[in-house]
Amino acid sequence: MDFPPFFIDFFGNRLLIAVIAIIHVFINHAFAVGAYPLVTFMEWRAFRKKDPASDELAYKITFVLFVVTTSLGALTGVGIWFSTSLIAPFAIGSLLRVFFWAWFIEWLVFITEVVLIVLYFLLWKRWREGILKKLHIALGVLLSVFSWFTMVIIVAILGFMMGSGKWPADQSFFSAIFNPIYLPQLAFRTAYAMGIAGLCVWFLLFFFTEKGSLLRQRAVRFVSVWMLAWVIPFIAASIWYYHTIPANMLANLGVAMLTQKFMQWHQTLAIIMAVTIGVIIVVAAIGAIKPKLIPSVLLIVPFALGLWLLGHFERVREFIRKPYVIADYMYSNGVKLDELPVFQRDGVLTYANYVTNHRVTADNMVAAGRDVWVVTCSRCHTTRGINSMMTKFTNLYGNDPWDKDAMIAFIHSMHMTRTYMPPFPGSDKEAEALVAYLMQMQVDHKFILGAQNDWTVKPTPATQQPTGP
């Protein structure tokens, strides 16, 4: 409660992070972690077989990787931490305290990775023969290792956010790193990155090779075999990963796969996704056996399907973690588990620094309710935009004037019927004020501004500090 509330009403904080993060994961997995080892393998094979055409093709693919990873990839990587630091500074602060040295090392690894990317691309034409070519291939291997090592570090943090393991008991750095979900998720992401890299290179073959040419057929066969080699590791890692996800998170799977409204169709979607993976594997098998049978459109469509699957995986992973932002430690609204009984006893506004009302009275009911909404709801919800509170209560209670008592009862019990929702972290009076504000919003169609746009938001120091339940 110590930070000015940043939020974008209508678009929503959650969608802002999702757009940036998913674009970055596309680039990181398909281009950086997966494609550099594949291209290095292509270069080595062309060198061994004395095949200059394949070497030139690998160089053209590397040009695309170089441009995308050093521009959009770097920007979205920074963008993730910039946006999450604005929206959830409490969570990022806690993670920094636990993973400071891991993040510092990751920064060094990232800088090294960027330097290696630049060297690998710029030296390709200069180191063409003999020992220099061998050194260039070794440079590609080193780049591949550093690209993967960024994933090794970041996935430890992502795993910790889903399952903190022994860390709450011993507060150990190594307990945090080697959380129960770390290695299964790392294995899954590694196999997926290698596989989708094949789809990425397939996509680029559409532009860099001629239809029906022997070069395209050789490249399609080579990349197809690469993808097929990762099928079994991918399936094994998927099963391993699934069985390490805590049961309370799997309970959110239906909503995570789709939405609350369409959750009954989540098994159908799961079947569609499994069939999609199966079709990609079949196409890769045809590419490995009879590459000339692969039409140009099949160089593009599987890549699009692979991106869809990866993007949906990220959505599901983020959603099933709820109601936590850090499992068993902090709820998605920034309230720590040990703070909850204190806030419910004294009121969350009592301890908030960027509100205009620290107490709920008969005279400030709506204004205090607005403060409660900003502090406890705005991290995930908008008033009238995407993931709108107004829409959700309209779906529950219709368009007629809402029932105050029913809404208060729902707010106090929503975490029991919706397992992805955190408990309401306020007092009874604050729940009443929140309902008063929502009922006002039912007839007063206004968006509200975050602290980044509302210059009237000033710090008004909390009247108390938490002293324990």
Side-chain angles (χ1 to χ4, degrees), residues 22 25-26 29 188-189 192 195-196 199 234 257 269-281 301-317:
I22 288 176
V25 169
F26 285 162
H29 287 33
F188 171 82
R189 287 183 180 274
Y192 197 98
I196 199 172
L199 298 179
F234 171 73
M257 292 281 288
L269 179 61
I271 293 172
I272 292 173
M273 296 174 77
V275 170
T276 301
I277 294 171
V279 168
I280 292 174
I281 293 172
V301 173
F303 179 57
L305 294 174
L307 293 182
W308 165 62
L309 291 170
L310 182 57
H312 202 73
F313 159 74
E314 291 298 332
R315 181 191 188 281
V316 171
R317 181 190 59 78

Side-chain angles (χ1 to χ4, degrees), residues 111-154:
I111 296 297
T112 305
E113 179 193 3
V114 172
V115 171
L116 289 171
I117 289 172
V118 173
L119 291 176
Y120 185 64
F121 174 69
L122 295 181
L123 293 176
W124 194 300
K125 293 293 186 182
R126 296 183 183 183
W127 293 3
R128 299 177 63 91
E129 305 290 341
I131 188 66
L132 290 179
K133 189 63 173 175
K134 293 180 179 178
L135 286 174
H136 189 264
I137 294 170
L139 195 61
V141 172
L142 192 61
L143 165 59
S144 302
V145 171
F146 272 83
S147 295
W148 181 70
F149 203 62
T150 60
M151 175 185 280
V152 169
I153 298 172
I154 294 301

Side-chain angles (χ1 to χ4, degrees), residues 3 85 131 155 173 179 194 234-235 260 366 370 431-432:
F3 300 93
S85 296
I131 188 66
V155 169
F173 172 77
N179 58 78
M194 297 303 169
F234 171 73
I235 294 174
Q260 178 79 31
V366 173
R370 180 188 184 281
E432 188 179 345

